Amino acid sequence: MALLGTILAAATAQAQESGKSPGSSSVAPGVTILAEPFGVRLEFKGRLSVNGESPLELPPAASGRFSLLAAGEGVARTQGAFRISGAGNEAEALSEPPGMSAGLLVRSLNFPGFPDITARREARGAVLTVAGLGSIFGSVRSHLRYRARLDEFGDYASDRVIDERRGRGSWIKYGAAVWGVSALDYMIRPRFSVRESSPSRLALIVPSTTRGASLWRSLMVPGAGQEFAGHRFRGSVWLGAALAAGAGLVIANGAVDQNQTKTDWAALYVDSAGPSERVARLRDLEVLQNQLQEANDARRGLGLALLGIWVANVIDAAVMTVSPVPGASPPRLQTSFPISPEGPAVAIRYRF
């Protein structure tokens, strides 16, 4: 009888403990992040870091602003920013949803590469940043040379001023092109779609990789389709090759203008040269004509190289391997290991 009384007393105490009122010291449950297709790997970073496959159980301490990165077979590597305000409040999406918007356009117009770096696409961001800095360096250099030519006198100096002004304009156009590519690359990157947001659940849709989606992205920005399909290194190489060819084309175009001016003036010197100077002048003109032809050949070759890189990048996006999309429904039996202030726990779910 004493043993039975002890058991009943313990059961009564346990029942009273489990029946505490909401205002007691019991800890509220955390948020569950569910990403579709199911089985996607999630990386949660904020006040604390949690990694795992979807569904990802967050402890109650996971509040405030955080970033979420999703990756896996058959889905595009997707990054977004969210805010969890605490128990009883829905998770709020801070990053742009799919589709065009005014906020997306404003954020895309940051310095080239910065939008990609903030979206955790560091390699592409570095390539675009280097190209943007290179365009600024070329523009400033051409402008300084242009200002220096203004202090010179004579018709030849006037023609060289025009060449430096054209060179400055070419670098400015190249910088504008790099800025546009950076903005477009940011706008077409994959983004989360919010299916459901509640105080205890955040359901997201991760874009699936398809050959068509990769193809049109590479058609717009070199390497964007490869990046979308998970081939990040290949995507950065294609982008870097296209931007390098574009910079080379600007340099070659400036060399053509300068050699053309020198050749034209050398031809004038031949016409005005006396019998004793004519042979030397003709030799100088022949050398300059050869240099002009080489510069024209280089410009033509770089233009064809840029076109070839763009076409080859599109072909590569069309024939590269695209990972299959995982199953469209979650497994019946799911286990997770959430960590709360009370310690680790085990959660088991079975879908009927």
Side-chain angles (χ1 to χ4, degrees), residues 253-268:
N253 190 65
V256 169
D257 289 340
Q258 294 177 8
N259 282 296
Q260 184 67 60
T261 298
K262 294 177 181 178
T263 302
D264 293 342
W265 277 95
L268 292 175

Side-chain angles (χ1 to χ4, degrees), residues 27-100:
V27 179
V31 177
T32 300
I33 300 180
L34 180 64
E36 302 176 17
F38 298 96
V40 173
R41 295 190 302 274
L42 299 176
E43 181 180 338
F44 174 96
K45 284 189 176 181
R47 293 175 57 186
L48 51 82
S49 298
V50 182
N51 300 327
E53 291 188 353
S54 171
L56 187 64
E57 303 284 347
L58 301 181
S63 61
R65 181 188 174 95
F66 67 91
S67 68
L68 184 67
L69 179 66
E73 294 292 330
V75 296
R77 182 184 173 90
T78 308
Q79 187 268 345
F82 300 85
R83 178 184 288 114
I84 298 178
S85 301
N89 296 312
E90 298 181 359
E92 176 188 2
L94 302 179
S95 53
E96 308 88 355
M100 294 297 299

Side-chain angles (χ1 to χ4, degrees), residues 46 191 240 250 275 299 340:
R191 288 178 171 79
V250 172
R299 181 173 65 176
S340 66

Side-chain angles (χ1 to χ4, degrees), residues 193-218:
S193 298
V194 179
R195 178 185 290 275
E196 176 189 350
S197 179
S198 67
S200 61
R201 179 184 174 95
L202 177 61
L204 305 171
I205 300 176
V206 184
S208 301
T209 54
T210 63
R211 201 174 303 278
S214 299
L215 187 61
W216 71 259
R217 282 177 169 84
S218 285

